[in-house]
Amino acid sequence: MQPVKKLRTLAQCSIKTFMAAIFILVSMMPPGLANEASDRRVQISLPLFPRIVAVDKKFQEKLTEDNKARLVFVYDRDKSKANELAKTVGSTNKNIVNVRVDTVPVPLVEQLRANSQTPTAIFVAEPLGEADFKELVLYSINKGIIVFSPYSGDVERGATVGLAITSRVFPYFNNSTLEASGVEINPILLDMSKRYE
Amino acid sequence: MNKFFNQITNKVTVFLVGIMVFVMAAISTHWVYIMVPVIKSGEQTKADLLVTPYTRLIEQSVNNDNIDQVEEILNHVLLLKDSKLNQPMVVNIKVSLITGKVIERANQINSRYEPFVAETPIFDSLTSALLGKIHLEYNSELYHHLINDAEQRLYVALIAVIILILVVQWKISLLLKPLNILAHYLESVDLNKAAAVPHPKKKMAMEITQVWQAVNQLFSRLQLRDEQLKLEHDAAQNALKQKLEAESANKAKSQFLANMSHELRTPLNAIIGYSEMLKEEVVNNSHPNLTSDLNKIYTAGKNLLALINDVLDLSKIEAGKMQLYLEDVKVNLLVDEVVSIIKPLANKNNNKIVLDFDEGIGTIRVDIMKLRQSLLNLLSNAVKFTTGGKVALQVYREFINDEEWIRFVVKDSGIGLSETQVENLFNAFSQADMSTTRRYGGTGLGLTISQKFCRLMGGEITVESELGKGSVFTISLPVHIKEPMETKPDMESGMLPLDSTKLGRMSKPDRREIRRERRRKTSTVLIVDDDPMACELQQRHLSKQSYDVLCAESGEEGIRQINELVPDVILLDVMLSDMSGWQVLTYVKSQPHLVHIPVVMLTMINEKSTAYSLGATAYLSKPIDREELTSTVNKCVRKAGQETILVIDDDADARKLARLILENDGYSVIEAENGYLGLMRVAERIPSVILLDLLMPNMNGQEFLNELELNERWQGIPVIALTAMELDEIERQRLEKRVSMVIQKGAYSIDQVLNAVREISGKKQQQETQNVNFTDDNSRDG
């Protein structure tokens, strides 16, 4: 009986050691690997976002009262990043199709409030949780506006448009959300884009 | 189909084709589902990558409204060529503006294939407004070239594999060709003229050469074996011829012995019979001076008969026709019997017989006649060659190799034997020396026959002797010898199956003889024999035994008298003048009203098996020993008129004892373990008397009696009650109403039981006779 117990103890020790090693390896992995890809996608998205807003056929109907295109960068926690993205887009795109652009970072909770101001389009500045994202998609559908999310998988989750990256970068549209929100995109661009049915 | 797959060439081909099909299927699947999409995707990627850098340039040119620059860029793109095929990479490039303006440039390529298409939008860099799109058609010739190239390689590989398979098949058939030649040769070769297999001209593989050599070796061995077989066949033919000759000679010898024994026994029959009769006449008529002469004639006749019997025994043993009739024999009783026979001879030479054995030595399963004969032979030799000395018989059991044996040791203080004499002792017709023969007589066959008897029973006789000091002969026999055949009664001496427990009692005349005599008083014996002298001798002898004896001197006469008289016993000679005794026997046993008559066959020749198979009751060899004749006829008569006693007792030993006592007194006994089985026996056959134990399981004695009373036919059966219980007056009175007698168990003697049975059965018979007489009287009166 004794040797069996010893073997078992050894096996348990080995498993524990292995699990510990895996944990150490995972914790030592550069956290930026995933973030880096996301950041790149965000960077690529920034020039594309105003262009997608520009091909919205009802773009003119979604301007603010002072005839500005209000591009909202929603965030949950990272206000500075949203702020930075808003500034970047705002500085490189003063106007869209001759309409002045106003880029603002807005907390998601605030944007979803009933009395909040309806934007022309929304850019998802940081990855959102499932419930929040779902609520945001419903909000965009209700308001008939574009939600642009550069993060992988968000188009499948319901974002109006995102990125499809192969040997080239394509706009990636969610047909269902487009249909539900009534957003109409210029067919020339739509033909050259990737679509999620 | 099976034949096709049994060929090595086809097997290998099928195997290779299988592998080829499998590999080709795997490669094709890999090609279609993995490689082609990968190549296609690669080409599409090239198209995408090509259009991306030019998009920004064209976008800038369009923003600046510089159409010439756009055209310059398009021309530049069209000039690009693939380094492998040296063909233009782009088939067509087109810039479509939202304003409706289209700038298009194309290469003149006659391509059969659809190009890969890459499209990208053009935006206004300041307002982000969509300006149009770039449409690029990438030349797919390279893609198809790659595909075709790979497919051609696959086809080549396939053809190569097919060629390889064909080559392998051809090579294998080439290798196996010598085997085909060998097979054809072996199929057509005449084995009687088989020589070495002709070697093929071409060089063969080593393995095939080995087969070739092995076949040649086989042929050589076959030739050798044929020669050997021929020699063996010749030898077997010679042996068969010799065997047939030997069998013929043996048959002739047996026939000669049978004839001789017949011819010798016929006069001996008269000599012994008449001399015995004359002896009685001489004693009765007071001529004592003739007694001695008559004794010599009688003794000489007897000796001659013994010699003939010995010769016949030896002849049968040597012919392998001697049969064993095994039975369980109580050793102490056998020894008593043998000693009682040998005692007078011992006394004659003033020898003292010393016995050393345990009375409870138990039983041995042997042929009692042959063991008795062997023991008598050793003991008679011992007392014959010892004068004024001691002859000891020691009997004991011992275990050898887990097998139990019994040894009979006969030790004498006689003349003893030299080593040479011991060596020749068991040879037929060989005595110690001629002087011994002259002085002590004997044929010299006794020991030989005894030894052969013992060997037949799985044992042996050994001898240790010292000249002048005496000899020790030992018979060793296994206690349980293997059954050589179905045990049959040994009727050699004319006796019915001999119960060894009765040994020692046979010669004691007592009251039982008187009773037997009373039973046989009116019995009729018919002798069928064509020898008038033999007929007369047996008639006179049996008449003295109170039998009513009649003679028939032919078979026909015999059959007539058998039908008229329906005798109690028939004595039937085998060799009759008009027909054989077997025919008469067959006739008797085929007639329903005669079949019950016991038939005793009288014959010179040994045809015991034939006699029993045809239904004979007993068998006597001529010349007839008068004692044997009397004994046999008595037994036959007793058997025919036996009374049956039913013994009901749960104690097996008690039943056995009762059976021994009653059977010895001439009764037939049936047994039952309890009252219930007793009733079944009574239903099968109504007994003369019932011996009933009162205390038994299942159905006790009282219950049995109650059941007996319920059946009218059974009410008159006499019952003797045996009980170990102390009966009170009421029980006794109740029993006395039904039973004839109550005997206290444990206190009764043999005579007490016998007397009771005799008395009760006698009363019953008397009562039956009276009833018959009464009925007769009534009928006369009527």
Side-chain angles (χ1 to χ4, degrees):
Chain A
M1 289 304 285
Q2 201 62 27
V4 174
K5 195 177 269 182
K6 195 174 272 181
L7 278 174
R8 198 173 290 165
T9 315
L10 275 171
Q12 284 169 353
C13 285
S14 304
I15 291 167
K16 281 178 183 173
T17 313
F18 177 73
M19 295 298 286
I22 293 286
F23 177 75
I24 290 163
L25 279 171
V26 168
S27 18
M28 282 174 70
M29 268 174 71
L33 275 182
N35 289 340
E36 270 181 33
S38 289
D39 287 347
R40 283 198 197 103
R41 290 177 74 96
V42 171
Q43 291 304 322
I44 295 167
S45 300
L46 291 179
L48 188 62
F49 176 51
R51 294 180 176 189
I52 296 297
V53 174
V55 292
D56 183 354
K57 283 187 172 177
K58 295 175 182 171
F59 168 68
Q60 296 294 341
E61 296 168 18
K62 294 170 190 173
L63 302 178
T64 57
E65 286 175 358
D66 52 350
N67 271 333
K68 283 184 179 174
R70 180 180 169 82
L71 304 182
V72 170
F73 293 76
V74 291
Y75 64 92
D76 186 24
R77 292 188 189 89
D78 196 350
K79 185 184 176 182
S80 61
K81 187 181 176 187
N83 199 27
E84 188 188 334
L85 296 177
K87 274 184 181 172
T88 309
V89 171
S91 62
T92 53
N93 295 276
K94 299 289 182 192
N95 58 70
I96 296 174
V97 200
N98 299 321
V99 176
R100 298 250 338 142
V101 174
D102 192 7
T103 57
V104 284
V106 179
L108 178 68
V109 182
E110 195 180 309
Q111 184 60 54
L112 295 179
R113 278 185 197 147
N115 55 355
S116 65
Q117 189 180 356
T118 304
T120 309
I122 296 173
F123 188 91
V124 182
E126 64 174 307
L128 296 174
E130 187 66 35
D132 288 344
F133 192 83
K134 201 170 180 181
E135 211 171 335
L136 177 64
V137 169
L138 282 173
Y139 176 84
S140 72
I141 290 170
N142 284 335
K143 299 293 182 184
I145 57 172
I146 291 169
V147 172
F148 190 107
S149 176
Y151 305 108
S152 177
D154 275 1
V155 174
E156 288 84 352
R157 287 207 290 172
T160 317
V161 62
L163 294 179
I165 303 173
T166 56
S167 49
R168 277 196 303 134
V169 178
F170 292 95
Y172 185 24
F173 287 95
N174 185 320
N175 269 0
S176 305
T177 310
L178 276 178
E179 207 170 307
S181 61
V183 175
E184 289 180 34
I185 303 294
N186 189 319
I188 296 173
L189 181 73
L190 212 54
D191 287 346
M192 290 181 282
S193 304
K194 190 180 173 188
R195 277 182 271 186
Y196 178 76
E197 300 295 335
Chain B
M1 198 66 177
N2 280 340
K3 198 178 171 185
F4 175 81
F5 281 109
N6 280 338
Q7 290 180 4
I8 293 175
T9 315
N10 295 337
K11 266 186 184 177
V12 173
T13 308
V14 168
F15 177 72
L16 290 176
V17 167
I19 288 178
M20 187 194 75
V21 167
F22 176 77
V23 171
M24 292 307 292
I27 291 171
S28 303
T29 309
H30 181 75
W31 175 249
V32 171
Y33 291 100
I34 296 171
M35 289 310 292
V36 171
V38 164
I39 295 169
K40 197 171 183 178
S41 164
E43 294 303 300
Q44 181 65 53
T45 302
K46 281 182 188 174
D48 289 340
L49 290 175
L50 187 65
V51 79
T52 304
Y54 290 103
T55 305
R56 184 55 62 91
L57 291 172
I58 292 170
E59 206 170 65
Q60 283 175 359
S61 303
V62 171
N63 280 335
N64 298 332
D65 206 18
N66 190 346
I67 300 303
D68 293 341
Q69 197 172 357
V70 172
E71 285 176 351
E72 191 181 325
I73 292 166
L74 297 187
N75 287 333
H76 177 80
V77 172
L78 284 176
L79 287 173
L80 296 175
K81 280 190 177 180
D82 172 60
S83 59
K84 190 173 175 70
L85 298 178
N86 199 27
Q87 278 197 1
M89 290 172 80
V90 177
V91 176
N92 185 20
I93 184 164
K94 183 167 74 179
V95 177
S96 307
L97 297 177
I98 209 153
T99 56
K101 189 176 177 66
V102 176
I103 307 154
E104 186 175 7
R105 292 290 182 274
N107 276 317
Q108 294 300 316
I109 299 169
N110 292 324
S111 177
R112 294 168 292 168
Y113 310 110
E114 284 293 314
F116 294 101
V117 174
E119 284 188 329
T120 184
I122 309 166
F123 289 96
D124 187 327
S125 53
L126 292 174
T127 65
S128 299
L130 183 68
L131 297 177
K133 67 173 180 180
I134 302 169
H135 173 91
L136 184 137
E137 291 179 2
Y138 187 81
N139 191 356
S140 63
E141 282 291 328
L142 181 64
Y143 161 74
H144 290 289
H145 172 77
L146 288 173
I147 296 288
N148 290 339
D149 192 37
E151 281 176 355
Q152 276 170 9
R153 284 179 196 177
L154 275 177
Y155 293 137
V156 169
L158 178 67
I159 291 164
V161 169
I162 290 170
I163 290 169
L164 181 71
I165 289 170
L166 292 173
V167 168
V168 167
Q169 191 181 23
W170 171 73
K171 188 66 188 168
I172 290 172
S173 62
L174 212 63
L175 285 170
L176 295 177
K177 199 173 180 182
L179 278 184
N180 282 337
I181 295 169
L182 183 64
H184 286 306
Y185 177 78
L186 291 177
E187 278 171 8
S188 59
V189 71
D190 181 358
L191 280 177
N192 295 323
K193 298 171 187 171
V197 187
H199 205 280
K201 289 170 189 172
K202 286 182 182 174
K203 196 182 174 186
M204 294 186 295
M206 193 179 76
E207 290 84 349
I208 308 291
T209 310
Q210 281 175 345
V211 173
W212 216 266
Q213 286 167 351
V215 171
N216 279 331
Q217 283 173 5
L218 184 68
F219 274 131
S220 306
R221 291 214 301 274
L222 272 176
Q223 277 178 339
L224 276 174
R225 197 199 62 174
D226 283 350
E227 286 164 13
Q228 202 174 344
L229 276 176
K230 195 164 181 277
L231 288 172
E232 283 173 8
H233 177 74
D234 292 346
Q237 287 289 331
N238 285 337
L240 185 66
K241 195 177 168 189
Q242 284 169 1
K243 189 187 166 203
L244 289 172
E245 284 170 3
E247 279 176 358
S248 173
N250 198 33
K251 200 173 174 183
K253 187 183 103 180
S254 297
Q255 189 60 47
F256 172 74
L257 281 170
N259 292 341
M260 281 303 291
S261 64
H262 177 260
E263 295 304 324
L264 288 168
R265 278 171 167 169
T266 304
L268 268 177
N269 195 26
I271 293 167
I272 294 168
Y274 277 105
S275 62
E276 201 174 1
M277 271 175 50
L278 281 171
K279 264 165 62 184
E280 289 171 10
E281 294 288 329
V282 163
V283 171
N284 292 341
N285 295 324
S286 306
H287 292 295
N289 54 327
L290 294 175
T291 309
S292 168
D293 296 338
L294 286 170
N295 268 337
K296 283 173 189 164
I297 297 169
Y298 179 76
T299 309
K302 279 282 195 187
N303 287 342
L304 191 54
L305 181 60
L307 176 63
I308 292 166
N309 286 340
D310 280 353
V311 170
L312 285 175
D313 276 348
L314 197 62
S315 165
K316 273 201 286 184
I317 292 167
E318 286 178 352
K321 290 180 180 171
M322 181 60 80
Q323 293 175 332
L324 287 181
Y325 302 106
L326 300 178
E327 57 185 300
D328 291 326
V329 175
K330 282 195 173 176
V331 177
N332 59 334
L333 297 181
L334 173 68
V335 171
D336 283 347
E337 186 201 6
V338 171
V339 170
S340 71
I341 293 168
I342 219 70
K343 227 166 198 171
L345 192 56
N347 291 340
K348 198 174 152 189
N349 281 2
N350 295 322
N351 290 322
K352 188 183 173 189
I353 292 186
V354 180
L355 293 178
D356 177 14
F357 71 98
D358 182 2
E359 276 293 332
I361 191 161
T363 59
I364 180 171
R365 188 163 180 78
V366 285
D367 185 324
I368 187 173
M369 298 304 296
K370 293 180 176 58
L371 178 56
R372 185 196 285 136
Q373 188 173 328
S374 303
L375 277 174
L376 280 173
N377 179 258
L378 295 189
L379 284 167
S380 62
N381 281 347
V383 298
K384 191 159 70 173
F385 295 111
T386 307
T387 307
K390 199 168 75 175
V391 173
L393 173 59
Q394 186 190 12
V395 188
Y396 61 91
R397 282 172 178 260
E398 69 173 348
F399 276 92
I400 301 171
N401 295 334
D402 291 339
E403 196 179 357
E404 199 174 11
W405 290 69
I406 287 189
R407 293 195 192 282
F408 300 87
V409 183
V410 179
K411 188 175 182 182
D412 67 62
S413 56
I415 58 172
L417 298 159
S418 67
E419 277 186 27
T420 320
Q421 287 171 332
V422 169
E423 279 175 19
N424 294 320
L425 198 61
F426 292 106
N427 293 338
F429 301 104
S430 159
Q431 277 195 332
D433 56 40
M434 291 310 290
S435 61
T436 310
T437 312
R438 283 195 298 276
R439 186 176 168 192
Y440 295 100
T443 60
L445 289 176
L447 273 175
T448 311
I449 291 169
S450 298
Q451 189 194 43
K452 290 187 187 296
F453 278 172
C454 288
R455 285 181 176 172
L456 210 58
M457 292 186 282
E460 186 55 282
I461 297 183
T462 53
V463 59
E464 289 171 28
S465 186
E466 197 175 333
L467 197 59
K469 288 191 175 177
S471 308
V472 180
F473 285 83
T474 305
I475 292 177
S476 304
L477 289 172
V479 172
H480 305 287
I481 73 168
K482 288 175 186 170
E483 298 277 344
M485 55 174 285
E486 193 182 341
T487 308
K488 288 177 89 175
D490 189 329
M491 302 297 283
E492 204 161 2
S493 61
M495 304 281 282
L496 284 167
L498 184 62
D499 187 340
S500 60
T501 53
K502 288 185 265 178
L503 287 169
R505 296 175 198 266
M506 301 301 289
S507 58
K508 292 178 184 174
D510 55 8
R511 285 173 297 174
R512 296 166 211 161
E513 255 327 298
I514 299 165
R515 180 167 173 75
R516 284 175 195 158
E517 192 147 325
R518 185 177 64 76
R519 281 196 206 123
R520 76 192 174 215
K521 202 75 180 173
T522 53
S523 300
T524 308
V525 178
L526 176 65
I527 303 166
V528 184
D529 196 334
D530 59 348
D531 182 353
M533 273 200 306
C535 238
E536 190 189 339
L537 271 173
Q538 288 154 14
Q539 189 176 28
R540 283 168 65 177
H541 176 68
L542 289 173
S543 297
K544 283 181 186 173
Q545 307 297 321
S546 307
Y547 286 108
D548 186 7
V549 186
L550 294 158
C551 278
E553 292 184 358
S554 67
E556 197 178 338
E557 173 68 9
I559 288 172
R560 190 184 61 77
Q561 289 203 31
I562 290 166
N563 277 312
E564 277 180 11
L565 298 169
V566 189
D568 294 303
V569 180
I570 300 167
L571 299 181
L572 180 58
D573 185 29
V574 171
M575 301 178 82
L576 298 171
S577 54
D578 56 343
M579 62 175 77
S580 85
W582 306 127
Q583 287 172 287
V584 179
L585 175 62
T586 309
Y587 172 78
V588 170
K589 293 301 166 187
S590 65
Q591 300 301 312
H593 67 291
L594 302 175
V595 71
H596 67 281
I597 304 173
V599 179
V600 179
M601 298 305 295
L602 311 173
T603 174
M604 298 286 184
I605 49 178
N606 190 354
E607 287 173 290
K608 208 169 12 175
S609 300
T610 314
Y612 291 133
S613 63
L614 289 174
T617 311
Y619 174 96
L620 292 175
S621 295
K622 281 185 173 184
I624 308 297
D625 183 282
R626 293 205 304 179
E627 284 301 317
E628 284 179 14
L629 179 66
T630 310
S631 169
T632 306
V633 173
N634 285 348
K635 281 176 187 293
C636 289
V637 170
R638 193 191 320 156
K639 211 144 185 85
Q642 258 173 354
E643 291 174 38
T644 305
I645 312 294
L646 170 60
V647 180
I648 308 173
D649 198 324
D650 59 332
D651 183 352
D653 290 336
R655 291 201 309 272
K656 193 176 177 186
L657 181 63
R659 174 182 280 279
L660 287 174
I661 294 164
L662 293 167
E663 282 187 346
N664 203 29
D665 203 48
Y667 291 100
S668 166
V669 176
I670 49 177
E671 296 178 27
E673 285 176 37
N674 53 49
Y676 181 72
L677 293 173
L679 286 173
M680 289 173 72
R681 299 284 171 273
V682 173
E684 288 164 7
R685 179 181 178 179
I686 293 178
S688 305
V689 178
I690 297 172
L691 274 180
L692 177 68
D693 182 26
L694 292 179
L695 196 62
M696 292 179 295
N698 292 339
M699 182 186 278
N700 65 29
Q702 190 57 55
E703 289 166 341
F704 172 80
L705 287 171
N706 294 341
E707 291 293 324
L708 213 60
E709 276 305 291
L710 295 175
N711 190 318
E712 200 179 332
R713 285 176 58 232
W714 300 348
Q715 286 170 355
I717 304 171
V719 178
I720 298 171
L722 305 168
T723 179
M725 294 187 299
E726 285 297 327
L727 300 173
D728 59 27
E729 192 54 34
I730 300 169
E731 287 171 330
R732 191 170 286 278
Q733 281 177 0
R734 197 171 59 202
L735 276 175
E736 280 175 357
K737 282 182 187 170
R738 179 62 186 87
V739 304
S740 306
M741 195 176 285
V742 179
I743 296 176
Q744 195 66 33
K745 224 177 179 181
Y748 67 94
S749 66
I750 294 169
D751 281 342
Q752 197 179 356
V753 177
L754 270 179
N755 283 336
V757 174
R758 283 174 194 149
E759 193 179 327
I760 305 290
S761 65
K763 272 183 192 170
K764 190 189 174 198
Q765 275 188 345
Q766 206 174 359
Q767 201 175 7
E768 284 169 356
T769 313
Q770 280 173 357
N771 287 343
V772 171
N773 289 341
F774 178 74
T775 315
D776 287 349
D777 289 346
N778 283 348
S779 60
R780 275 197 297 273
D781 288 345

